[in-house]
PDB file of all heavy atoms in Angstrom:
ATOM      1  N   ALA A  52     -16.514  15.960  -7.853  1.00 57.00           N
ATOM      2  CA  ALA A  52     -17.938  16.178  -8.224  1.00 57.00           C
ATOM      3  C   ALA A  52     -18.124  17.636  -8.714  1.00 57.00           C
ATOM      4  O   ALA A  52     -18.723  17.990  -9.705  1.00 57.00           O
ATOM      5  CB  ALA A  52     -18.845  15.829  -7.121  1.00 57.00           C
ATOM      6  N   GLY A  56     -18.125  19.247 -13.188  1.00 51.00           N
ATOM      7  CA  GLY A  56     -19.344  19.808 -13.906  1.00 51.00           C
ATOM      8  C   GLY A  56     -20.548  18.860 -13.708  1.00 51.00           C
ATOM      9  O   GLY A  56     -21.392  18.973 -14.537  1.00 51.00           O
ATOM     10  N   ILE A  57     -20.512  17.946 -12.778  1.00 46.00           N
ATOM     11  CA  ILE A  57     -21.583  17.033 -12.633  1.00 46.00           C
ATOM     12  C   ILE A  57     -22.769  17.862 -12.073  1.00 46.00           C
ATOM     13  O   ILE A  57     -22.653  18.497 -11.119  1.00 46.00           O
ATOM     14  CB  ILE A  57     -21.313  15.910 -11.721  1.00 46.00           C
ATOM     15  CG1 ILE A  57     -20.160  14.961 -12.217  1.00 46.00           C
ATOM     16  CG2 ILE A  57     -22.542  15.108 -11.361  1.00 46.00           C
ATOM     17  CD1 ILE A  57     -19.671  13.928 -11.300  1.00 46.00           C
ATOM     18  N   SER A  58     -23.938  17.819 -12.885  1.00 44.00           N
ATOM     19  CA  SER A  58     -25.012  18.590 -12.517  1.00 44.00           C
ATOM     20  C   SER A  58     -25.950  17.828 -11.622  1.00 44.00           C
ATOM     21  O   SER A  58     -26.136  16.634 -11.815  1.00 44.00           O
ATOM     22  CB  SER A  58     -25.758  19.028 -13.744  1.00 44.00           C
ATOM     23  OG  SER A  58     -26.910  19.738 -13.545  1.00 44.00           O
ATOM     24  N   VAL A  59     -26.597  18.487 -10.644  1.00 42.00           N
ATOM     25  CA  VAL A  59     -27.526  17.854  -9.804  1.00 42.00           C
ATOM     26  C   VAL A  59     -28.813  17.495 -10.538  1.00 42.00           C
ATOM     27  O   VAL A  59     -29.355  16.456 -10.383  1.00 42.00           O
ATOM     28  CB  VAL A  59     -27.876  18.782  -8.542  1.00 42.00           C
ATOM     29  CG1 VAL A  59     -28.951  18.143  -7.744  1.00 42.00           C
ATOM     30  CG2 VAL A  59     -26.699  19.023  -7.781  1.00 42.00           C
ATOM     31  N   SER A  60     -29.162  18.392 -11.380  1.00 42.00           N
ATOM     32  CA  SER A  60     -30.357  18.084 -12.318  1.00 42.00           C
ATOM     33  C   SER A  60     -30.013  17.950 -13.705  1.00 42.00           C
ATOM     34  O   SER A  60     -29.439  18.718 -14.358  1.00 42.00           O
ATOM     35  CB  SER A  60     -31.300  19.359 -12.150  1.00 42.00           C
ATOM     36  OG  SER A  60     -32.171  19.407 -13.176  1.00 42.00           O
ATOM     37  N   ARG A  61     -30.156  16.737 -14.198  1.00 50.00           N
ATOM     38  CA  ARG A  61     -29.818  16.404 -15.615  1.00 50.00           C
ATOM     39  C   ARG A  61     -31.081  16.391 -16.399  1.00 50.00           C
ATOM     40  O   ARG A  61     -32.164  16.059 -15.985  1.00 50.00           O
ATOM     41  CB  ARG A  61     -29.091  15.054 -15.598  1.00 50.00           C
ATOM     42  CG  ARG A  61     -27.866  15.138 -14.950  1.00 50.00           C
ATOM     43  CD  ARG A  61     -26.939  13.843 -15.383  1.00 50.00           C
ATOM     44  NE  ARG A  61     -25.700  13.821 -14.677  1.00 50.00           N
ATOM     45  CZ  ARG A  61     -24.578  14.424 -15.215  1.00 50.00           C
ATOM     46  NH1 ARG A  61     -24.605  15.042 -16.378  1.00 50.00           N
ATOM     47  NH2 ARG A  61     -23.491  14.236 -14.536  1.00 50.00           N
ATOM     48  N   ASP A  64     -33.133  13.256 -16.256  1.00 76.00           N
ATOM     49  CA  ASP A  64     -34.011  13.052 -15.084  1.00 76.00           C
ATOM     50  C   ASP A  64     -35.267  13.797 -15.114  1.00 76.00           C
ATOM     51  O   ASP A  64     -36.087  13.721 -14.111  1.00 76.00           O
ATOM     52  CB  ASP A  64     -33.154  13.440 -13.876  1.00 76.00           C
ATOM     53  CG  ASP A  64     -31.924  12.421 -13.714  1.00 76.00           C
ATOM     54  OD1 ASP A  64     -32.019  11.372 -14.269  1.00 76.00           O
ATOM     55  OD2 ASP A  64     -30.989  12.945 -13.073  1.00 76.00           O
ATOM     56  N   ASP A 133     -32.626  23.213 -18.581  1.00 93.00           N
ATOM     57  CA  ASP A 133     -32.856  21.811 -18.928  1.00 93.00           C
ATOM     58  C   ASP A 133     -34.307  21.401 -19.070  1.00 93.00           C
ATOM     59  O   ASP A 133     -34.616  20.666 -19.958  1.00 93.00           O
ATOM     60  CB  ASP A 133     -32.205  20.884 -17.799  1.00 93.00           C
ATOM     61  CG  ASP A 133     -30.727  20.997 -17.791  1.00 93.00           C
ATOM     62  OD1 ASP A 133     -30.132  21.289 -18.843  1.00 93.00           O
ATOM     63  OD2 ASP A 133     -30.069  20.580 -16.813  1.00 93.00           O
TER      64      ASP A 133
END
Side-chain angles (χ1 to χ4, degrees):
I57 295 172
S58 176
V59 174
S60 159
R61 295 197 182 267
D64 296 335
D133 286 340

